[in-house]
Amino acid sequence: MLLQRTLSKSNKTDLYLDLVELASGLLLVGFLWTHMLFVATILISQETFNGLSEFLDKYYLSYIGIPFIIVVALFHFVIAGRRIPTRIQEQRIVWRHAKMLRHTDTWTWVFQAITGMAILVLASIHVWMVVTGWPIRDFTSAQRMESFWWFYLILLIVGEYHAGFGLYRQFVKWGWFPRKPIGYITKVITAIILVLGLAAMFVFVQLGGAL
Amino acid sequence: MADRELTFEIFRYNPQKPEVKPYLQTYKLKETTGMTIFVALNQIREEQDPSLMFDFVCRAAICGSCAMVINGRPRLACKTLTKTLPARIKLFPLPVFKLIGDLSVDTGTWFRHMSLKTEAWVHTSKTFDPKAQEERMDNETALKIYEAERCIECGCCIAGCATANIRDEFLGAAGINRVARFMLDPRDERTPAEYFEVVGSEEGAFGCMGLMACDDNCPMELPLQMQLAFVRRKMASIGIGYKPGKGIKLA
Amino acid sequence: MSTYKTLITDVLVVGAGLAGERVAVEAASHGLDVIILSLVPPRRSHSTAAQGGMQASLGNCAMGEGDNPDVHFADTVKGSDWGCDQDVARLFVETAPLAVREMAIWGVPWNRVVAGKRTLPDGRVIEEKKEKEGLITARDFGGTAKWRTCYTADGTGHTLQYTMDSMVIKMGITVHDRTEAISLIHDGEQCTGVVARCLRTGDLRVYIAKSTVICTGGYGRLYSASTNAVINEGSGMFIALNTGVVPLGNMEAVQFHPTGMVPVWILITEGARGDGGYLLDKNLYRFMPDYEPKKKELASRDVVSRRMIQHMRKGYGVDSPYGPHLWLDIRHLGAKHINTNLREIANIARNFAGIDPVKDLIPVRPTQHYSMGGVRTNIDGAAYGLKGLFAAGEAACWDLHGFNRLGGNSLAETITAGRIIGKKVAEYTLGATLSYNYELVDKAVKEQENRIKALVNGWNGKENVYELRKLMEQNLMDYVGIFRNGKDLQKAVDNLRELYHRSLKIGLRSNGEGANPELAQALRLPGMIKLALCISYGALMRTESRGSHAREDYPKRDDANWLKRTLAYWPEGADLPELKYEPVKITELPPGDRGYGESSAESQGGKNG
């Protein structure tokens, strides 16, 4: 037995980190999917979209929600990011390993790490654009979409990918449900959200020209 | 199917001769019916290259000696039929384990170390009484223990695990499954807190990132995902409800 | 002056299978310092391959009711065809139940009695009693009067070995795996340890010990079709034989398992027949009831094997590129039973032959399986000829099995003998002092060094080790198989003798550096051929049929002349073993009819096949 280990027995840090990763991840998935559903209200009508946005503003939900989500996302980034190898040699090992193994779930994890990094950058830009262009109304969104549709396309795919497989992985790790069906369900939900997002984008881009 | 000529590309390296860098050596072999990698490698050794190192013991997928990376996947060479593979077959030793030479790796030392770290034996205060009848056990319990004990320590799960590839101390699926085996065993008198000490950390249950290469590559088809999740949930519930004593300050 | 590492210990155990580890645990629990040497990590030992179970007369299950050591004793002695030592058999049957219960405390998840009625595959309805629920249960195995084989599903050897090794680890016993003992150090009276070769680096090492215990298992791999693991090359036996003073007992007693799967020779356990599997011929006819109306497929192994060969010789075998074979049929047991209770069998058939036993027949034929013979010891496990040398398990001829071992008695022997002999080893060692002659040790190492140099440099010749090995395997398979006769045996002896001389002229084709596998094989082969000669010469000289030793030219058991045990010595410089004989100890059960088989009862002899 080593001194430092004897004295730090029953260290629960690793457990807490794991739980925070789980909780923050679940919150973020919940947020993202709700967010996309809200965005998709544009598919119903511009009034619905604006109405929802005004409603959120009126009760200060946006002003509480956005900073809260930013804090959660940062937490999630730091904590989930502890899994990502920091040393170049380790990264090379993982990369070679994934290439050798040709194993789906290993590759999805590698992309998960990459998309996580990408989301940090892209989502920051997105938040900055939204906040500087406040409030959120059909015409502000439409403008952004029209000018930066490629940016949003990337963010949408990257975000949904990360959320979908992140959720799948948590279910796998905690084993609440068998692996195969849960993989199927998360894929279906992700596909639905993606379709909604793409449709909303399409509408916004159309609107951007019209407004 | 028959009449194929197989091309084996085999990793060659002898750690005792580091001046010769690792290289791939090619061997050609005529495929026969029912040929396994076991049959093929022995034929290569006996007819082409008697210096080629690899390990087989039972050649029946019982002992776990012959795991190697076959066309990218960790598998048991003895139960890999060549007819299931393309004509080019690439063989590498398992990663993570210490290389002995060519395809031979030291899984034994790794697993003994793991057993020591997880104290993988029944912790009991009872001593054997030659005159007494055995203690009763529910047959279902016995079967459950056996299900976890079926691991043959081949190392495929460890070799396939990205975490184990970069974190030396990670117990991997084999290690966590081993702990599950003792947690299921009513004869083991360890307390929840004691189990938490063993696997309630990044080295154990919380180190798993859920990549499931273990589950997908286990030649014994052990329910590793469920065992890992079982231990993780158990550790979480123990950890949340458990208060460690006050620590001693070092300075 | 050569440099080599020397290690000193109280007890040196060669071989880390179940017997070896059990001896080690016993010795260590007496406070002795123990080192175990093993070719492979302990959990890779061939003991793990024993799927079926181990015999112990607990009598807990319904079909085992009324079982006791006396019944087990009678089964064992009959099984051995009165070739076993009855004192040993008595000690063994009395201790086996303890050994099983002890393993339960240490962690083996034995299958337990589940109360209630159930129907056996043959239609009989049995009822397990409520008061027995949760106790260790047993299954049926060939050649026994009661259901006595304790088991853990289909991995009894596996769980026993893992549990035993967990004790070894718990007790902190040193294990040097990937280490091969290549010669014994002795002065003709006392054994003081071994010279070993490290299979990681190729370095030689010396182990000095007050007592040395050989637990290296059998020699199955001398035969080309063997169910044994590839490490079972009889190394412990020939290093003992090489001393010239330690004899091997009953080497001609070789057991064939009725059901090795064609063509990989992987064992399909007795469990398949115990649970109700049938043997079918090429017409899909169940032929065993014709030969053995009472026991049918469950007569003892030697009998079933012989009946199968007999039936195939009559032309009822199924032709295949690998020679004729028969079918094992377990389809009628149902998918559920096959996939749970017989899962290992199902997996073997699927993985190694691409056959689904739920739907398909399994091709089987008798395959070399077990070596009854080995280093001859007394009832304490002490080898004849050298003080400080012991042997246990399949490597030994303790003489529990005589001329045929009962299914389930091998696993039982490992832990039971390990327990008994371990204690005797400890007692001996506690009373011994360590004294050894340095020159003797140095000479022993030099001898091995010179052998290695000669092999690497091809000083003695350029014979190909793998070629010679194939010839040896073939000779045993063709001429020293299930049915034997004087003409063939003589041929085998002549051929093997020539091979032995050739084996002294082996030269490596590779450079022999480090842990070179060709060198390892070349170091073993002359010893292996010596064992092959002990087997065939012993078989040639034994002009009777007994247990697994079936002579077509002498089809009857001959108690008047052959109620004795063969002891094979190998004098220095000889090219044939010197055979001596000792009487078999009969204490309780005089020779009689086994109630099955042909050699002791009036029935169709082997000759008409």
Side-chain angles (χ1 to χ4, degrees), chain B residues 9-50:
Chain B
E9 289 179 84
I10 299 180
F11 175 86
R12 302 299 307 268
Y13 181 61
N14 182 355
Q16 282 184 287
K17 283 180 89 179
E19 64 277 11
V20 183
K21 292 271 172 283
Y23 61 99
L24 286 180
Q25 190 162 347
T26 308
Y27 303 93
K28 292 202 187 286
L29 207 62
K30 199 140 168 45
E31 187 171 34
T32 51
T33 28
M35 182 181 257
T36 60
I37 300 288
F38 163 70
V39 174
L41 282 175
N42 276 296
Q43 215 170 313
I44 291 173
R45 184 193 273 173
E46 286 170 22
E47 290 163 14
Q48 301 185 35
D49 188 345

Side-chain angles (χ1 to χ4, degrees), chain B residues 75-136:
Chain B
R75 311 174 64 163
L76 292 181
C78 68
K79 71 173 224 185
T80 303
L81 293 155
T82 53
K83 71 172 182 192
T84 63
L85 299 170
R88 276 193 102 71
I89 299 171
K90 248 188 178 180
L91 302 180
F92 278 90
L94 287 190
V96 184
F97 303 98
K98 197 174 161 204
L99 191 60
I100 288 175
D102 303 340
L103 298 173
S104 172
V105 290
D106 195 347
T107 45
T109 303
W110 193 96
F111 277 97
R112 178 153 172 142
H113 178 69
M114 180 275 276
S115 281
L116 279 168
K117 231 166 61 166
T118 56
E119 301 194 3
W121 52 82
V122 170
H123 289 53
T124 176
S125 52
K126 296 199 179 85
T127 46
F128 178 59
D129 174 2
K131 287 188 204 79
Q133 194 178 49
E134 66 270 21
E135 245 178 72
R136 286 167 202 260

Side-chain angles (χ1 to χ4, degrees), chain C residues 462-478:
Chain C
K462 268 290 177 193
E463 289 284 1
N464 181 333
V465 60
Y466 296 110
E467 254 175 57
L468 298 188
R469 184 187 169 135
K470 279 227 169 78
L471 289 170
M472 171 196 72
E473 290 174 352
Q474 216 47 59
N475 267 295
L476 282 183
M477 207 67 209
D478 292 348

Side-chain angles (χ1 to χ4, degrees), chain A residues 103-132:
Chain A
H103 174 245
T104 324
D105 280 24
T106 301
W107 271 123
T108 57
W109 178 81
V110 171
F111 286 127
Q112 189 118 24
I114 295 169
T115 51
M117 299 287 188
I119 289 169
L120 179 74
V121 178
L122 300 179
S124 312
I125 298 171
H126 167 58
V127 170
W128 182 76
M129 285 200 290
V130 169
V131 172
T132 51

